[in-house]
Amino acid sequence: MNLRKSFFAAVAVAASAFSASALAQETYTLSLAQTWGPNSPILGETTEHFADMVEAMSDGRLKVRVDAANKHKAPFGIFDLVRTGQYDMGHTASYYYKGTIPNAMYFTTIPFGLIAPEMYAWFYHGGGMELMQKVYEPHGLLSFPGGNTGNQMGGWFRKEINSVEDLQGLKMRTPGFAGEVMSELGVAVTNLPPGELYTALERGTIDALEWVGPALDFPMGFHQIAKYYYSGWQEPGAEVQFLINNKTWEKLPADLQNILTVAMRTAAYDMYIQSVHESGIAWDKMKEDYPDVTHKVFPPEVIEALRETTDRLLAEAAEKDPLAKEIITSQRDYLKQVRPWINISDKAYLNSVAGE
């Protein structure tokens, strides 16, 4: 039995109860541009899932056409595509646009910051959504959480990292705030589209890269080139986003706005749990099929340098920009509030059963 199809069928039945009288009403088709390529696992499936839910819940009154990066040719241009109205919606990651709107990057992730459940709690109960709208509203956009990868891995490296000196001169793909931190420690940082990562690593254009985690890394084949796989520090809960052009939003009836909101929130949750599930499967397969892949953690000296640099750069950003300060302070304060509970619940549990 296909549970996803069953879910859509159930939603359609429920939707018909309030939409049967609206069959003659106007129908809408929205265009969505995504950063991800065609048939992209998890990330691309999230937008497909979202589009299916929207159509089912609206009883066909609202449809979403999803265009992958090979169609619109601008994987890191989603912000502009939606802002200018070339597309109604987008699915991407906020930190890709830090060069245009620096405060956007905080809504994807911050090094040493909130893990995925904490991030969602901050968005929906700690003021995160309101702060995100402060950043995007001046650009005529609405932004919604669009799915979380969970704690991301620190990356694939051709050689071991045993000291801060080993980072200096390293050519690495790593985006967002983490890229700024790495750059401060002497790393030659670049940000490449997903479709270029394998070739860049294979040809030696880069020495290391971080993408996501086993579920998305394994299909990319990085393990065939770089054998050292490091746990992360930089993206403890990486959230992608849905973007909506505000003019498009305002043209929709209230019930269709509600359907979009529910579908985005559901698709985001489904992406998170799928990421956890698929990463578990992929890591087990990787260990079995590629035993020469070595899992590593960065030594304490490197972690300390990364943390100190992160704190300094965040303090500098907060000093320069009042809105940046408001966002950074909000996340830090929320972390102080919620992390003690995580420590005596999830962390304590995992520590107590570490041998299992």
Side-chain angles (χ1 to χ4, degrees):
M1 180 180 182
N2 189 314
L3 294 178
R4 178 168 289 185
K5 288 184 177 179
S6 297
F7 170 75
F8 293 145
V11 169
V13 170
S16 66
F18 65 81
S19 63
S21 62
L23 290 177
Q25 293 185 15
E26 185 176 357
T27 60
Y28 302 82
T29 298
L30 306 184
S31 57
L32 183 151
Q34 63 181 14
T35 290
W36 338 115
N39 304 314
S40 176
I42 301 180
L43 292 163
E45 291 175 74
T46 297
T47 51
E48 293 175 6
H49 182 198
F50 163 72
D52 288 343
M53 281 193 293
V54 167
E55 184 171 358
M57 288 192 291
S58 69
D59 205 21
R61 289 174 55 216
L62 180 60
K63 298 181 181 181
V64 178
R65 188 196 80 233
V66 177
D67 284 352
N70 66 316
K71 179 71 177 294
H72 56 71
K73 309 295 184 184
F76 291 151
I78 308 301
F79 170 79
D80 283 329
L81 290 176
V82 181
R83 179 183 62 83
T84 59
Q86 296 177 66
Y87 279 83
D88 298 302
M89 299 187 65
H91 195 246
T92 185
S94 262
Y95 63 7
Y96 291 150
Y97 311 102
K98 67 184 182 70
T100 305
I101 42 173
N103 288 331
M105 62 182 170
Y106 306 114
F107 302 106
T108 300
T109 188
I110 290 295
F112 304 104
L114 300 164
I115 61 175
E118 295 168 337
M119 190 76 167
Y120 279 127
W122 175 71
F123 271 126
Y124 288 110
H125 298 283
M129 291 291 289
E130 291 79 6
L131 288 169
M132 187 158 60
Q133 279 316 117
K134 277 191 177 184
V135 172
Y136 281 98
E137 187 174 7
H139 302 280
L141 296 170
L142 301 172
S143 180
F144 296 83
N148 204 294
T149 65
N151 204 322
Q152 292 200 4
M153 293 295 285
W156 295 91
F157 293 75
R158 291 178 178 271
K159 65 177 184 178
E160 288 189 69
I161 303 299
N162 295 312
S163 66
V164 176
E165 287 71 27
D166 289 339
L167 294 175
Q168 295 172 8
L170 190 79
K171 296 175 292 184
M172 182 175 183
R173 183 271 183 190
T174 183
F177 200 85
E180 297 186 19
V181 174
M182 282 291 208
S183 182
E184 289 285 312
L185 295 179
V187 176
V189 172
T190 186
N191 187 21
L192 300 170
E196 298 178 17
L197 296 180
Y198 181 89
T199 300
L201 187 64
E202 182 183 40
R203 294 178 178 176
T205 307
I206 54 176
D207 305 309
L209 63 83
E210 63 92 359
W211 177 221
V212 179
L216 293 178
D217 291 5
F218 189 67
M220 300 283 270
F222 305 136
H223 54 283
Q224 299 170 12
I225 305 168
K227 302 302 181 184
Y228 297 105
Y229 197 29
Y230 277 81
S231 285
W233 58 278
Q234 78 291 354
E235 299 190 28
E239 187 71 29
V240 295
Q241 67 176 157
F242 284 106
L243 283 175
I244 304 179
N245 184 289
N246 195 50
K247 292 180 180 178
T248 295
W249 178 263
E250 291 177 347
K251 291 177 182 178
L252 295 173
D255 66 320
L256 296 185
Q257 291 177 349
N258 290 336
I259 284 172
L260 279 178
T261 301
V262 171
M264 287 186 290
R265 192 161 176 172
T266 304
Y269 170 76
D270 283 354
M271 177 180 152
Y272 174 46
I273 59 174
Q274 184 183 4
S275 295
V276 174
H277 171 71
E278 297 291 349
S279 282
I281 293 174
W283 179 239
D284 185 63
K285 182 173 178 59
M286 193 179 297
K287 288 191 300 179
E288 180 179 342
D289 295 350
Y290 296 90
D292 55 335
V293 169
T294 303
H295 167 251
K296 305 285 289 185
V297 294
F298 292 110
E301 171 196 340
V302 173
I303 291 294
E304 182 179 359
L306 292 167
R307 186 185 293 275
E308 289 177 353
T309 305
T310 296
D311 290 343
R312 174 171 60 81
L313 292 181
L314 285 173
E316 291 174 0
E319 186 176 353
K320 294 176 183 176
D321 185 334
L323 183 51
K325 181 177 182 179
E326 188 177 2
I327 298 167
I328 293 166
T329 300
S330 177
Q331 287 193 348
R332 287 283 175 89
D333 288 348
Y334 197 80
L335 183 62
K336 291 177 183 177
Q337 174 186 317
V338 74
R339 185 58 59 84
W341 158 242
I342 299 299
N343 286 339
I344 68 164
S345 57
D346 292 358
K347 183 178 179 181
Y349 166 72
L350 293 173
N351 287 342
S352 70
V353 298
E356 296 184 7

